[in-house]
């Protein structure tokens, strides 16, 4: 667990990682309601442009919100990954986007 992780008490931590060639600063485009979701931060140590959101909001809310942020940034909907972690346990992520179906 990182030191910054221990400072957060929210139920979830979401990672938004851009996978394409575009490199916009997503946090500059947040609406007031998106900012109010809770604690957004840029992950500077990541190889790809990555942001972290600490919040109590559920996966459906965040999936919807991030899809709109990506669209407003004029990025294709397949140009990012969205991962969900429970609290400060970053050992077992849940992939929210893209979703792969095997049947």
């Amino acid at each position: 667990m990182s030191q910054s992780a221990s400072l957060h008490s929210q139920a979830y931590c979401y990672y938004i990682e851009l996978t394409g060639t575009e490199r916009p600063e997503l946090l500059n485009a947040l609406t007031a309601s998106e900012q109010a979701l809770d604690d957004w931060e840029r992950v500077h140590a990541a190889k790809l442009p990555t942001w972290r959101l600490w919040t109590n909001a559920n996966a459906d809310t965040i999936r919807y919100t991030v899809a709109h942020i990506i669209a407003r940034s004029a990025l294709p909907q397949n140009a990012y990954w969205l991962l969900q972690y429970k609290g400060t346990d970053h050992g077992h992520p849940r992939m929210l986007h893209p979703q792969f179906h095997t049947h």
Side-chain angles (χ1 to χ4, degrees):
M1 177 168 55
S2 71
Q3 187 175 13
S4 65
S6 64
L7 301 175
H8 297 279
S9 61
Q10 294 88 340
Y12 301 105
C13 179
Y14 296 90
Y15 274 73
I16 301 104
E17 183 173 74
L18 299 184
T19 59
T21 58
E22 299 291 325
R23 303 292 187 244
E25 180 51 59
L26 296 183
L27 299 186
N28 292 341
L30 295 180
T31 66
S33 62
E34 291 164 352
Q35 290 176 10
L37 284 170
D38 220 333
D39 189 10
W40 293 86
E41 60 187 22
R42 177 74 189 256
V43 180
H44 293 284
K47 291 182 181 181
L48 294 172
T50 304
W51 294 265
R52 191 168 26 219
L53 169 60
W54 296 91
T55 183
N56 291 322
N58 67 37
D60 289 336
T61 299
I62 301 306
R63 191 181 292 120
Y64 175 85
T65 300
V66 171
H68 282 272
I69 293 169
I70 294 295
R72 271 199 321 274
S73 298
L75 296 171
Q77 285 296 314
N78 63 349
Y80 72 98
W81 291 348
L82 177 59
L83 302 170
Q84 178 193 54
Y85 295 91
K86 288 191 177 182
T88 57
D89 175 14
H90 287 197
H92 300 91
R94 178 177 164 210
M95 178 70 85
L96 299 179
H97 182 87
Q99 291 184 324
F100 300 103
H101 300 284
T102 58
H103 55 292

